[in-house]
Amino acid sequence: MKHLVTLALALTVTASAAPVTLTYWQYDYASKVSTMNDLIKKFEAQNPDIKIKQETFPYDAYNQKVASSVPAGQGPDVVNMFYGWLPQYVDSGYLQPLPAKDFPTAAIERDFVPMIKTSKIGGKYYALPTSVRTLAVFYNKDLFKASGVLTPPRTWEDFIAASQKIVKGAPPRFTQLGFGIQPDGQDYHMLREVLVRQYGGSPYSADGKTVTYDSAAGLKAMTFYTDLYTKYKLGTPNFFPGNNSYRDAFIAGKVGMIIDGSFAVATIQKGAKFNWGVMTLPTFKGSSVRSNFGSYWVNGITKNAKGDKLAASVKFLKFLTSAETQRTWLENVGEIPAGKKLSSDATLRRDPVYGPFVASLPFAHSTLFVDEAGQRKAWVDAINTVILQGATPASAIKRAATDEQKILNEYYK
Amino acid sequence: MSITSKSAQARPPRRAAGSMKRQQTRTAYLFLGLPLLFFLIVRFLPTLMALRMSLFDWNILKEVQPFVGLENYARLAQDDRFLGALKNTALYTVIGVPAQIALGLAVALMLGRVTVLRGLYRALYFAPYVTPIVAAAWVWQWLFSPQFGPVNTFLTWLHIPPQAFLTSPSQALGTTAALIVWQNLGFQIVLFLAGLAAIPRTFYEAAEIDGATGLQAFRSITLPLLNPTMVFSVVTGTISYLQLFTQVVNLNFTDQGGPLGSTMTVALYIYQLAFGRFQMGYASAVTVVLFVIILLITVIQLKFLTRRYDV
């Protein structure tokens, strides 16, 4: 019956005006795909002259898939991307800037959280998110209690003290970690965007073209982070085998604290068989400088969308970034809203799990990547020279800066 | 079919046999031609395309792909990561090929003497070869884990301090090579068992009558007659080590080729350049270099290893 009604509706619509069909791409993640299916149904009901076709691809191959459709001029009209890929996609001419009359810059900056400014390239916005992610500390309440840690640490000094009470064993044989150190997990983001800033520095120049962490602040940050392993022996990278080592070990109840993104909430919620909590990233004693690393997935309009398709894409994008969709996304996928208004919602800020992530939004910074994989490798290798080869933090921060600057120069040449 | 019967009727018997032969040859060409066509399209054509692509600054995210001549090759000569990968790949080959041949031959000789539970022994040695590489790599990660690994537990019993293995830049390559040798061993053993079975028993009986010791018989009969098997093993083994990829990727999934590039291979580097960073032109240049290296080594090996023995 329902199908018949839809069919009848479709037929009447076809009779009046040829419907526009848009293709939407995102990567394959069960709750995102099903939520999007529901949203599409809702959107199509509101806009009978527009049909949306959702196509999804496995996460590992997604960037490749999107990138390889570029030269062929194929692929989606509206596309979901990691914000870090934007410079490359804009540069390739793949995306078109959001029409200024539909998405005025002033309104975007008034309505969305500050970190989305990395989507503004050459003064124009190219894409907008539905939701965003920040980092926080996940901690194992049971391990805290068993180790005599009475209160969750608010400062980095307390963070070290608490971890030292929990850790068992010594390198290279640990049986329990105080802190699930993992440079190639979220740690290198934390080091770059949180520690460097908390020491009074800034990782990049304002235009993102120059590395500026080869400084006193950068050195302090690198020293602090590598000391967690070399001096305080709080834990070790790759504690568990596999590609989410630190998170898997935390879920197994073998790690006191990890630093992870809000995207990990669902996995931890499902897997952890103990009491756990979330707290905002610590600050240094006697300092109030807070910082966080924000990342997000954006929706942009490709150059394929022209004429009617462009108008329809604008409508769809407005729908995807509306407060209503943001709320649906939070409830069904568990990602925090990108809109200022909704993310300052009192109940959300008080939420024991999402609260700490939401509270970090006003001071969250995101990095403008031009080669996400290469830039990550520069940092991870630099950190590894210290913890695996005994190099000094000074030479490590210099190495990271040299390697990363080389990648930036290659891109901006 | 109808043509064959027609011509068979129309021609005298002797000529019919000749035409039949021609017919068969034609059919053979047809059957060989199809796979050849397939190879041309999916193997040779892409190779030629890669050769061409390597002369361009070909980034799939850019709209223009400028011609740069040999610039990519010049860049390779100064690329530390590439040179490191090349050195590692050579190390894998130098460690892996002799090790798997020596171990394979030793086990095959011993298996030749086993009479009780023969099938079981053979199956056990062959099992790693048919185990999916990804699964084996993950088990290896766990076996050699500095924290929980049974290997380290075993070492502590022997009063040897625990080792970092895959997490140490100086030990990771050796540990990875060990996994590959262990995996390839089953296949090596099967090859040698077949090679050994092909040597006529009469040679050994004659040697025994002449009073030759076991070692003498091994050196003068077994080794020379195993030469074809040996050549096959060395050549295919070398090629597979030079193209090493899957094991390395799965042993350190978050820092592939790490720690600190210590397990990086040329093939993995090509993959990262092409599909991680989309630098197709540069990746193609590495591919061409690897292709030339493999071709040269294979030709040299075939020339110097193949011997004819008249017995």
Side-chain angles (χ1 to χ4, degrees):
Chain A
M1 188 58 209
K2 209 168 144 196
H3 288 286
L4 274 179
V5 175
T6 324
L7 192 68
L9 264 175
L11 283 174
T12 30
V13 170
T14 335
S16 57
V20 183
T21 303
L22 295 179
T23 308
Y24 177 75
W25 277 13
Q26 67 167 340
Y27 72 87
D28 191 1
Y29 189 83
S31 61
K32 290 190 179 195
V33 175
S34 64
T35 308
M36 189 54 73
N37 280 333
D38 294 345
L39 285 169
I40 286 172
K41 256 182 228 148
K42 203 165 121 190
F43 177 77
E44 285 176 343
Q46 291 169 7
N47 300 273
D49 53 337
I50 304 173
K51 292 269 161 280
I52 311 278
K53 199 170 88 195
Q54 178 178 213
E55 289 175 3
T56 62
F57 305 93
Y59 179 80
D60 294 335
Y62 188 68
N63 193 13
Q64 280 173 38
K65 184 74 193 166
V66 178
S68 57
S69 73
V70 179
Q74 292 168 342
D77 303 295
V78 179
V79 63
N80 189 244
M81 301 159 292
F82 185 59
Y83 83 95
W85 303 340
L86 268 185
Q88 286 179 299
Y89 285 158
V90 170
D91 200 47
S92 71
Y94 183 43
L95 291 177
Q96 45 181 310
L98 303 180
K101 63 174 176 13
D102 300 300
F103 298 95
T105 305
I108 291 176
E109 287 173 4
R110 182 193 63 219
D111 295 339
F112 285 85
V113 295
M115 68 159 113
I116 58 115
K117 285 200 178 104
T118 32
S119 302
K120 187 160 78 173
I121 295 169
K124 290 174 187 160
Y125 275 94
Y126 280 83
L128 284 174
T130 304
S131 63
V132 292
R133 306 99 63 92
T134 56
L135 299 179
V137 179
F138 288 82
Y139 65 103
N140 183 326
K141 288 183 180 171
D142 294 355
L143 277 187
F144 269 40
K145 207 177 272 172
S147 312
V149 182
L150 301 175
T151 49
R154 295 271 164 240
T155 65
W156 285 113
E157 288 81 359
D158 292 344
F159 178 89
I160 294 172
S163 298
Q164 278 179 319
K165 285 187 187 165
I166 299 166
V167 68
K168 284 185 186 150
R173 295 266 282 179
F174 288 95
T175 51
Q176 186 170 297
L177 306 186
F179 169 52
I181 186 170
Q182 189 73 33
D184 51 19
Q186 296 300 312
D187 284 9
Y188 90 98
H189 291 304
M190 184 270 294
L191 167 50
R192 194 189 52 219
E193 287 291 358
V194 180
L195 291 176
V196 171
R197 288 181 195 275
Q198 286 186 332
Y199 276 117
S202 148
Y204 304 96
S205 61
D207 60 4
K209 293 181 184 174
T210 315
V211 158
T212 53
Y213 53 76
D214 187 11
S215 62
L219 175 58
K220 280 185 196 162
M222 180 62 90
T223 309
F224 175 84
Y225 179 73
T226 50
D227 273 356
L228 300 177
Y229 176 85
T230 54
K231 188 170 162 194
Y232 300 109
K233 300 181 182 11
L234 304 180
T236 181
N238 303 312
F239 181 52
F240 268 29
N243 39 359
N244 287 309
S245 174
Y246 65 112
R247 194 182 300 149
D248 292 343
F250 180 79
I251 290 171
K254 293 274 182 194
V255 176
M257 293 185 271
I258 57 167
I259 289 173
D260 214 336
S262 36
F263 45 81
V265 167
T267 317
I268 291 173
Q269 227 151 23
K270 212 160 85 187
K273 304 267 183 290
F274 50 85
N275 294 306
W276 54 277
V278 181
M279 58 191 169
T280 48
L281 296 179
T283 53
F284 285 102
K285 204 165 249 172
S287 157
S288 59
V289 183
R290 289 195 164 278
S291 183
N292 207 304
F293 170 69
S295 63
Y296 51 98
W297 283 69
V298 284
N299 294 303
I301 303 173
T302 71
K303 64 177 177 191
N304 297 346
K306 289 177 191 121
D308 282 355
K309 279 196 167 193
L310 178 59
S313 298
V314 166
K315 271 190 191 166
F316 187 50
L317 192 62
K318 276 196 166 166
F319 171 80
L320 285 183
T321 51
S322 68
E324 214 183 327
T325 303
Q326 289 180 20
R327 191 178 291 280
T328 313
W329 204 255
L330 169 74
E331 283 158 5
N332 293 290
V333 183
E335 288 187 323
I336 54 184
K340 256 184 202 162
K341 210 168 166 189
L342 195 56
S343 60
S344 57
D345 182 87
T347 35
L348 190 56
R349 291 181 72 99
R350 273 199 307 270
D351 185 281
V353 171
Y354 288 110
F357 293 106
V358 174
S360 305
L361 284 171
F363 45 82
H365 300 270
S366 38
T367 305
L368 200 66
F369 294 109
V370 299
D371 171 3
E372 202 262 329
Q375 288 174 271
R376 176 175 57 223
K377 190 132 189 77
W379 275 93
V380 171
D381 279 0
I383 295 166
N384 275 341
T385 60
V386 182
I387 63 180
L388 299 178
Q389 292 184 319
T392 61
S395 74
I397 195 79
K398 196 162 240 75
R399 180 188 163 129
T402 318
D403 282 4
E404 198 178 0
Q405 188 64 59
K406 212 158 82 195
I407 296 171
L408 295 179
N409 289 346
E410 241 167 61
Y411 180 78
Y412 289 113
K413 74 184 170 196
Chain B
M1 191 64 215
S2 60
I3 299 170
T4 323
S5 49
K6 233 185 214 168
S7 56
Q9 276 170 0
R11 286 157 208 248
R14 260 182 63 204
R15 290 198 57 190
S19 115
M20 182 97 116
K21 204 165 183 185
R22 214 174 307 141
Q23 192 67 40
Q24 282 173 343
T25 318
R26 217 175 292 156
T27 316
Y29 271 116
L30 185 71
F31 272 88
L32 288 173
L34 278 176
L36 181 69
L37 197 69
F38 180 75
F39 266 103
L40 280 176
I41 293 169
V42 304
R43 290 268 182 168
F44 294 113
L45 195 66
T47 310
L48 291 176
M49 279 163 76
L51 196 63
R52 178 170 172 271
M53 224 185 230
S54 73
L55 304 175
F56 291 80
D57 183 9
W58 197 299
N59 186 321
I60 57 172
L61 285 175
K62 301 256 166 78
E63 275 178 314
V64 200
Q65 321 289 0
F67 179 80
V68 292
L70 295 175
E71 209 175 87
N72 283 328
Y73 293 93
R75 200 176 134 200
L76 268 183
Q78 295 155 7
D79 184 342
D80 292 338
R81 284 180 199 269
F82 168 68
L83 297 174
L86 206 57
K87 191 185 123 218
N88 289 341
T89 308
L91 269 175
Y92 279 119
T93 315
V94 172
I95 298 172
V97 176
Q100 74 189 34
I101 287 179
L103 285 171
L105 184 56
V107 176
L109 285 171
M110 287 191 280
L111 279 178
R113 296 183 185 275
V114 168
T115 44
V116 182
L117 295 178
R118 193 180 183 145
L120 178 71
Y121 274 102
R122 288 184 179 201
L124 282 179
Y125 275 99
F126 197 63
Y129 187 69
V130 290
T131 307
I133 297 175
V134 179
W138 281 60
V139 171
W140 214 252
Q141 247 186 54
W142 175 76
L143 277 176
F144 286 93
S145 154
Q147 280 77 41
F148 321 98
V151 177
N152 265 330
T153 313
F154 181 69
L155 287 182
T156 47
W157 290 344
L158 302 173
H159 299 286
I160 298 171
Q163 301 295 311
F165 292 119
L166 288 165
T167 55
S168 145
S170 57
Q171 294 176 1
L173 189 138
T175 315
T176 308
L179 164 70
I180 304 155
V181 170
W182 172 73
Q183 275 216 292
N184 288 351
L185 202 55
F187 185 60
Q188 284 297 328
I189 293 169
V190 170
L191 280 181
F192 281 126
L193 281 176
L196 288 171
I199 303 176
R201 306 295 320 158
T202 47
F203 294 156
Y204 291 103
E205 284 158 15
E208 212 171 307
I209 293 166
D210 289 346
T213 62
L215 193 65
Q216 279 171 329
F218 176 73
R219 273 173 48 188
S220 333
I221 301 171
T222 315
L223 271 187
L225 288 175
L226 270 182
N227 181 267
T229 317
M230 213 62 111
V231 173
F232 179 78
S233 282
V234 171
V235 173
T236 54
T238 305
I239 293 175
S240 76
Y241 275 94
L242 291 175
Q243 297 178 335
L244 195 58
F245 178 78
T246 320
Q247 285 92 344
V248 179
V249 165
N250 288 287
L251 278 175
N252 192 341
F253 205 83
T254 48
D255 180 12
Q256 294 177 337
L260 284 167
S262 61
T263 57
M264 177 69 84
T265 64
V266 178
L268 176 54
Y269 191 55
I270 293 171
Y271 174 77
Q272 290 182 345
L273 284 174
F275 301 104
R277 307 174 66 174
F278 305 126
Q279 300 176 5
M280 293 293 167
Y282 192 47
S284 297
V286 187
T287 313
V288 171
V289 171
L290 182 63
F291 171 75
V292 171
I293 291 175
I294 293 179
L295 188 69
L296 280 179
I297 291 182
T298 309
V299 168
I300 293 172
Q301 283 178 338
L302 285 174
K303 194 166 162 50
F304 286 96
L305 290 176
T306 317
R307 283 185 171 65
R308 281 195 167 276
Y309 283 90
D310 297 315
V311 251

